[in-house]
Amino acid sequence: MTQDNSTGNSLIEDFGTRDIVLEVVADTATQDGAPEVQVTLLVAGVLISGTIVSFKRYAQHHPITARIHEAVEGLAARASNEEGTVRPGPPLYLHLKDAIYYTPGAPQAFPSDRGVFCRVALKDVSAFNFGNVVWPEPS
């Protein structure tokens, strides 16, 4: 399947600028019963460690994002009723829970507590690995 966009590139031609592995991981997170996967991402020189969650789980962490999720679900339901089954394109974002940021030269990671959610554009991830980075406790 190809997708036509303003530059005329197909998805096959676009693979050189996309990380298909990370897209599959992000897509898998949206499925019911998906395992929790810990990752560390390199984004604009900052390491971000956390656990991948679905957009639905990400949206539940805050009342505003919960409302956005409800609206998106409603639009998707209407679109599928009007046009038949709508297949979404590849994921554009990765959602993390318990996100911790590590910056070069910083004495410690932030935030120091858990429970922070993060949304990262896949196009901004320059490297990643499975597993979390463990930052030493300040002495």
Side-chain angles (χ1 to χ4, degrees):
M1 175 181 158
T2 61
Q3 176 181 343
D4 191 22
N5 58 29
S6 61
T7 61
N9 291 335
S10 71
L11 287 179
I12 300 298
E13 294 166 342
D14 197 31
F15 280 167
T17 60
R18 295 172 38 205
D19 189 326
I20 303 306
V21 173
L22 203 51
E23 283 185 16
V24 169
V25 171
D27 189 51
T28 301
T30 64
Q31 299 171 11
D32 289 333
E36 291 193 344
V37 177
Q38 295 179 337
V39 294
T40 299
L41 311 171
L42 179 60
V43 180
V46 175
L47 291 175
I48 306 171
S49 277
T51 303
I52 299 172
V53 296
S54 67
F55 174 68
K56 181 178 182 178
R57 174 68 182 99
Y58 166 80
Q60 292 171 346
H61 87 279
H62 193 277
I64 292 173
T65 54
R67 296 285 305 266
I68 292 168
H69 181 261
E70 290 173 12
V72 167
E73 289 290 310
L75 290 172
R78 272 187 267 155
S80 65
N81 287 338
E82 293 170 4
E83 303 170 12
T85 302
V86 175
R87 289 187 51 174
L92 301 176
Y93 295 91
L94 198 59
H95 303 90
L96 303 177
K97 72 174 185 177
D98 298 330
I100 296 181
Y101 300 80
Y102 305 91
T103 58
Q108 66 183 34
F110 66 94
S112 57
D113 60 342
R114 296 286 179 176
V116 173
F117 282 77
C118 174
R119 177 178 167 105
V120 177
L122 288 176
K123 68 178 183 56
D124 295 335
V125 177
S126 56
F128 81 97
N129 68 279
F130 293 108
N132 284 342
V133 170
V134 178
W135 196 269
E137 294 294 322
S139 38

